Amino acid sequence: MKGACLFFLLGYLLAAEGVQSAVATRQFRDVMSRGRAPSHGKFHRGISSWSSDHNNWNDKLYPYWEEGDPRWKDCWKGGRVVASLTSDSPALVGSNVSFNVILKFPRCQREDNDSNIIYDQHCINGSSDYANLPDLYVYNWTQWIDDCDGQNCSHNSSHNVFPDGRPFPRHKDWRRRNFIYVFHTLGQYYQTTGGSSAMVSINTTNITLGNQIMELSVYRRNYRSFQPVATANVVYVVTDKIPFYVNMTQKNDRNASDYIFIKDIPITFDVQIHDPSHYLNRSAISYRWNFGDGSGLFVSNSSVQMHTYKLLGNFSLDLSVHALIPAPCGPPTPLPPTPLPPVTTPLPSNVTPSFSSLTEVPTGQSPVEGCHIARSGPYKASLFIAEGILGVNIIQMTSVQVATTQVENSMVDFVVTCQGSLPTDACTIIADPTCQVLQSEACDPVDIDECLLTIRRTFNESGTYCVNITLGDAASLALTSTLISINGAAGSFSRTAEGVLLACGFLVVFVAVATFFLYKRYKEYKPIERKTGDEASNEGLSVYFNNVKAVLFPANNEKHPLLKNKPGIV
């Protein structure tokens, strides 16, 4: 009987040890994938400072909860924490791709300067949901750590370790690092501590091209353990094509996003290469343009190119960006009769080195001059070139006298002409003299046979105004501006430039008359003799006085031919 009891006790202990062993052998890949299939299909070379996900996970210190576990509802006071995980991909193979995570706390909660989570007083004031708060803190980790120090809970204590058992790194601000972030991708993981945000970067040299998944688990500090608060994942892209986009702008273009542009106006093409890790900073980059209008192939080292389409219709824009990236050179690898340990870094098939192979770069070693990796990126776009309004001008402004028994306003007619296609709408924006503060805006449809129209606008008060007039059609929008000064009397206005010109004209006339009388009084007789220089000078003086006469006596000038027929008023 005694032997049977011992046998039963031994079996129980073995069973308990087996259960404990089974729990202890949970691996990172089991926790991070959360039941999903692994995000990698084959072995990847190690990412620097990352570890294999076959390592064991300390489930006792870092409990693992399945999706849908009811414990998630109570893992944080006041609601759920959301982890916003983003990446700066796409990444050109060989460059670095970065991941940034920001924790978004429930309403009226925020992180203070000591990384404690507190209630935001500006948010909770007047809210009945927070009327009976016991104190300011959601989680006062500073107080927890201070209380725990007397119980040997210092930074070097046994529970200040990561899920794989490694101790937390020594940081001066370790008391403010109350969240543990575990990143996982391609069968490897990286763990770090931080506040409400964290960032990690990896090099993509040894990562397979295509879409990959970065997974994240976030834990918060508890008294003697850690509690899960959020999970997230994001897809990132590694490519062997240079990622970039083209920003197209054109004067008078109404909407650049529709790829409809105007004939006879230059289009600016601005290439923006997506290279957040500055991988291409030392590269030789060239741009090869084909605008599809028979103008030929253009090769440039500038990322900005201008082109004017002279014809109407559809055109196919082709652009390729090429980069020669400095790389280390290695001796040509001979073909051995028997397999040898690899001494070169395997590269994608489209890599074009100047020698047979490229050796891996030791830390701190610069590439040998003359070796490079060639990369390129294509771009295609279909553009439609249409007629549009090329320009707009105000050729005349006239005050309008209106008899009324009420308070008199100033009305001004703006006679406007344009070049190019006929507009379908006209808008007037009236602002302060700086053209910054909007005062009124009016738009009207127009139906005209020639580009000549009158726009009538009312000014309620005297002062100086900035007037912007825009004429538009389906594809274009042309603008002109002027400053106008409205006087106190109704219908009275002036343009600043004309006033200055008239004042200068009177001054010129006065000087000319005075000079004439002085000349007649003191002139001496000389034989008639004309020199070429004097003749040119007299002719220039005659033209000058004719111009002054044209300004002072505009009634004698020929009227603008477009004003012979009175335009419609808008």
Side-chain angles (χ1 to χ4, degrees), residues 362-427:
T363 303
Q365 177 177 331
S366 301
V368 180
E369 184 178 359
C371 300
H372 61 264
I373 299 174
R375 299 289 185 195
S376 64
Y379 177 84
K380 293 181 180 292
S382 179
L383 309 182
F384 182 75
I385 306 302
E387 291 280 6
I389 303 173
L390 304 181
V392 57
N393 296 290
I394 301 174
I395 62 173
Q396 185 177 349
M397 295 192 303
T398 307
S399 62
V400 180
Q401 302 293 338
V402 179
T404 177
T405 58
Q406 300 177 354
V407 178
E408 296 179 342
N409 296 327
S410 296
M411 300 182 65
V412 180
D413 283 350
F414 299 88
V415 181
V416 180
T417 64
C418 64
Q419 300 80 43
S421 61
L422 297 177
T424 58
D425 56 78
C427 292

Side-chain angles (χ1 to χ4, degrees), residues 191-206:
Q191 49 197 5
T192 184
T193 60
S196 60
S197 63
M199 188 187 73
V200 64
S201 296
I202 59 176
N203 186 268
T204 60
T205 299
N206 300 315

Side-chain angles (χ1 to χ4, degrees), residues 46-63:
I47 304 173
S48 178
S49 302
W50 289 54
S51 305
S52 170
D53 64 1
H54 290 280
N55 290 345
N56 292 338
W57 176 283
N58 187 339
D59 195 39
K60 182 178 180 181
L61 195 59
Y62 291 84

Side-chain angles (χ1 to χ4, degrees), residues 266-429:
I267 305 173
T268 300
F269 301 88
D270 187 3
V271 181
Q272 300 290 330
I273 296 178
H274 181 73
D275 184 28
S277 66
H278 309 294
Y279 175 61
L280 299 176
N281 272 12
R282 299 176 56 200
S283 303
I285 302 177
S286 61
Y287 306 84
R288 302 179 184 180
W289 300 86
N290 188 340
F291 296 100
D293 58 351
S295 56
L297 177 67
F298 298 89
V299 180
S300 172
N301 292 328
S302 173
S303 60
V304 180
Q305 185 73 21
M306 299 184 69
H307 185 74
T308 302
Y309 285 90
K310 301 294 185 180
L311 301 174
L312 302 176
N314 291 298
F315 298 92
S316 178
L317 170 66
D318 289 328
L319 167 65
S320 60
V321 179
H322 300 261
L324 295 180
I325 307 169
C329 294
T333 304
L335 298 176
T338 57
L340 295 176
V343 295
T344 60
T345 300
L347 297 172
S349 59
N350 63 335
V351 172
T352 310
S354 57
F355 286 83
S356 300
S357 65
L358 298 178
T359 59
E360 188 171 6
V361 189
T363 303
Q365 177 177 331
S366 301
V368 180
E369 184 178 359
C371 300
H372 61 264
I373 299 174
R375 299 289 185 195
S376 64
Y379 177 84
K380 293 181 180 292
S382 179
L383 309 182
F384 182 75
I385 306 302
E387 291 280 6
I389 303 173
L390 304 181
V392 57
N393 296 290
I394 301 174
I395 62 173
Q396 185 177 349
M397 295 192 303
T398 307
S399 62
V400 180
Q401 302 293 338
V402 179
T404 177
T405 58
Q406 300 177 354
V407 178
E408 296 179 342
N409 296 327
S410 296
M411 300 182 65
V412 180
D413 283 350
F414 299 88
V415 181
V416 180
T417 64
C418 64
Q419 300 80 43
S421 61
L422 297 177
T424 58
D425 56 78
C427 292
T428 306
I429 298 176

Side-chain angles (χ1 to χ4, degrees), residues 118-385:
I118 63 174
Y119 292 103
D120 190 347
Q121 295 294 330
H122 298 288
C123 173
I124 65 178
N125 287 339
S127 175
S128 59
D129 297 337
Y130 300 92
N132 298 318
L133 289 176
D135 55 28
L136 179 64
Y137 291 94
V138 183
Y139 292 102
N140 188 353
W141 284 307
T142 301
Q143 186 65 39
W144 288 8
I145 296 173
D146 291 341
D147 292 345
C148 194
D149 278 345
Q151 305 175 23
N152 193 24
C153 296
S154 63
H155 170 68
N156 297 321
S157 64
S158 60
H159 69 274
N160 282 325
V161 296
F162 287 113
D164 61 359
R166 299 178 187 177
F168 290 163
R170 295 179 177 273
H171 294 287
K172 294 181 179 179
D173 60 342
W174 68 271
R175 291 172 176 268
R176 299 181 179 180
R177 295 171 173 263
N178 298 301
F179 292 97
I180 290 80
Y181 298 88
V182 183
F183 297 86
H184 177 255
T185 188
L186 303 173
Q188 298 161 80
Y189 69 90
Y190 178 81
Q191 49 197 5
T192 184
T193 60
S196 60
S197 63
M199 188 187 73
V200 64
S201 296
I202 59 176
N203 186 268
T204 60
T205 299
N206 300 315
I207 295 181
T208 303
L209 302 180
N211 295 347
Q212 309 294 346
I213 299 179
M214 176 65 74
E215 297 160 317
L216 170 71
S217 288
V218 184
Y219 284 74
R220 68 169 174 85
R221 182 186 296 276
N222 212 336
Y223 281 102
R224 290 184 174 273
S225 64
F226 299 88
Q227 190 164 343
V229 294
T231 62
N233 62 78
V234 67
V235 175
Y236 64 100
V237 180
V238 179
T239 177
D240 60 349
K241 305 298 181 184
I242 299 176
F244 66 92
Y245 68 93
V246 181
N247 185 29
M248 306 180 196
T249 57
Q250 184 187 41
K251 180 184 177 182
N252 295 354
D253 182 38
R254 191 155 198 162
N255 181 12
S257 62
D258 61 5
Y259 295 96
I260 299 176
F261 297 95
I262 307 168
K263 182 174 75 75
D264 294 330
I265 296 182
I267 305 173
T268 300
F269 301 88
D270 187 3
V271 181
Q272 300 290 330
I273 296 178
H274 181 73
D275 184 28
S277 66
H278 309 294
Y279 175 61
L280 299 176
N281 272 12
R282 299 176 56 200
S283 303
I285 302 177
S286 61
Y287 306 84
R288 302 179 184 180
W289 300 86
N290 188 340
F291 296 100
D293 58 351
S295 56
L297 177 67
F298 298 89
V299 180
S300 172
N301 292 328
S302 173
S303 60
V304 180
Q305 185 73 21
M306 299 184 69
H307 185 74
T308 302
Y309 285 90
K310 301 294 185 180
L311 301 174
L312 302 176
N314 291 298
F315 298 92
S316 178
L317 170 66
D318 289 328
L319 167 65
S320 60
V321 179
H322 300 261
L324 295 180
I325 307 169
C329 294
T333 304
L335 298 176
T338 57
L340 295 176
V343 295
T344 60
T345 300
L347 297 172
S349 59
N350 63 335
V351 172
T352 310
S354 57
F355 286 83
S356 300
S357 65
L358 298 178
T359 59
E360 188 171 6
V361 189
T363 303
Q365 177 177 331
S366 301
V368 180
E369 184 178 359
C371 300
H372 61 264
I373 299 174
R375 299 289 185 195
S376 64
Y379 177 84
K380 293 181 180 292
S382 179
L383 309 182
F384 182 75
I385 306 302

Side-chain angles (χ1 to χ4, degrees), residues 519-538:
Y519 174 77
K520 290 197 65 175
R521 182 181 181 92
Y522 296 104
K523 72 174 182 176
E524 297 179 0
Y525 172 79
K526 290 184 180 180
I528 298 176
E529 185 180 59
R530 300 191 64 181
K531 297 181 180 179
T532 305
D534 296 338
E535 184 178 357
S537 176
N538 292 337

